[in-house]
Amino acid sequence: NAGVTQTPKFQVLKTGQSMTLQCAQDMNHNSMYWYRQDPGMGLRLIYYSASEGTTDKGEVPNGYNVSRLNKREFSLRLESAAPSQTSVYFCASSSRPGFAYNEQFFGPGTRLTVL
Amino acid sequence: GQQVMQIPQYQHVQEGEDFTTYCNSSTTLSNIQWYKQRPGGHPVFLIQLVKSGEVKKQKRLTFQFGEAKKNSSLHITATQTTDVGTYFCASQAGTALIFGKGTTLSVSS
């Protein structure tokens, strides 16, 4: 049982390049999330998917797109990377949206640098 | 939108001292969750509080939810070097969680 996995672990891009961050969970969770973490800013929600087939914007969606490929996988795409997108990206999943015990399980993160 | 404010942002203690971080909101919260992130790691769920005035303990950690459900605290008794990291509170906003900015704890032996 791997939990939440993310690829790649590290990535360096040049401004304007595109890339997709991959996330998968094997806990049969309904909801999945993408966060970015910057020093002093905590965790900010980029996009989330409450259930398979749905996606919604979070606090900082500009410059990103997402795809909920199936129940297991939720990808984050940067179409034209900018230095402001240098950050650590975390994917997370949870079992029951809006349910009382809705703890989130996080992946190990992707450390992205945009030059 | 809903926000949770955490204080302090940083705290340094000597091993054996106590530590407390506070989480405050201007609106009533449906619940509060606490997470810990070790340096270089990912956030890990610690606990969830749901009821007004709720107090839960995990060994040396004590979590409280305010009577008005607008604030919460995490208290660590007799800190150890293994307690270092950033502690986040988070509140439910529909399907999503809104995280505070966290309190980073450092401990010197």
Side-chain angles (χ1 to χ4, degrees):
Chain A
N1 202 352
V4 180
T5 56
Q6 291 184 237
T7 55
K9 286 186 168 48
F10 301 93
Q11 184 71 51
V12 178
L13 293 177
K14 294 181 179 178
T15 297
Q17 287 185 318
S18 62
M19 79 161 296
T20 300
L21 281 64
Q22 306 287 353
C23 174
Q25 52 90 10
D26 62 1
M27 296 174 281
N28 200 34
H29 284 171
N30 290 316
S31 301
M32 298 185 73
Y33 311 83
W34 276 106
Y35 295 91
R36 61 176 290 172
Q37 185 173 37
D38 304 293
M41 297 297 292
L43 290 155
R44 293 185 292 171
L45 183 64
I46 305 172
Y47 271 93
Y48 66 99
S49 172
S51 61
E52 188 179 354
T54 69
T55 60
D56 286 287
K57 295 179 180 179
E59 183 185 355
V60 289
N62 291 344
Y64 305 96
N65 284 300
V66 291
S67 295
R68 183 74 183 266
L69 305 170
N70 48 55
K71 191 171 185 180
R72 289 188 63 249
E73 298 171 288
F74 189 38
S75 63
L76 178 72
R77 182 160 178 84
L78 287 70
E79 290 291 351
S80 178
S84 60
Q85 294 178 304
T86 293
S87 188
V88 180
Y89 291 85
F90 288 102
C91 177
S93 70
S94 64
S95 58
R96 292 164 286 191
F99 193 73
Y101 290 91
N102 191 29
E103 66 181 278
Q104 293 194 5
F105 295 81
F106 283 79
T110 294
R111 283 145 183 83
L112 175 67
T113 301
V114 183
L115 302 175
Chain B
Q2 181 173 298
Q3 286 187 331
V4 286
M5 308 299 292
Q6 253 185 286
I7 54 171
Q9 187 175 3
Y10 301 99
Q11 182 81 55
H12 177 79
V13 299
Q14 295 287 323
E15 191 173 21
E17 292 182 336
D18 291 356
F19 159 77
T20 304
T21 173
Y22 300 91
C23 184
N24 300 306
S25 171
S26 59
T27 60
T28 302
L29 304 171
S30 59
N31 63 7
I32 197 86
Q33 296 184 4
W34 286 93
Y35 290 77
K36 177 183 178 181
Q37 184 178 23
R38 295 182 187 275
H42 59 276
V44 175
F45 176 82
L46 293 176
I47 208 160
Q48 176 169 275
L49 305 173
V50 179
K51 299 176 183 176
S52 168
E54 191 169 12
V55 178
K56 289 188 176 180
K57 294 190 176 183
Q58 289 180 350
K59 297 182 181 178
R60 294 178 294 102
L61 278 61
T62 301
F63 303 85
Q64 293 189 340
F65 202 9
E67 293 289 344
K69 300 181 73 173
K70 289 186 176 182
N71 56 74
S72 181
S73 64
L74 159 58
H75 179 83
I76 302 178
T77 303
T79 55
Q80 300 175 358
T81 54
T82 54
D83 295 324
V84 299
T86 301
Y87 294 85
F88 294 97
C89 64
S91 67
Q92 199 78 40
T95 306
L97 278 181
I98 304 299
F99 281 82
K101 288 186 165 63
T103 297
T104 298
L105 172 65
S106 59
V107 180
S108 54
S109 55

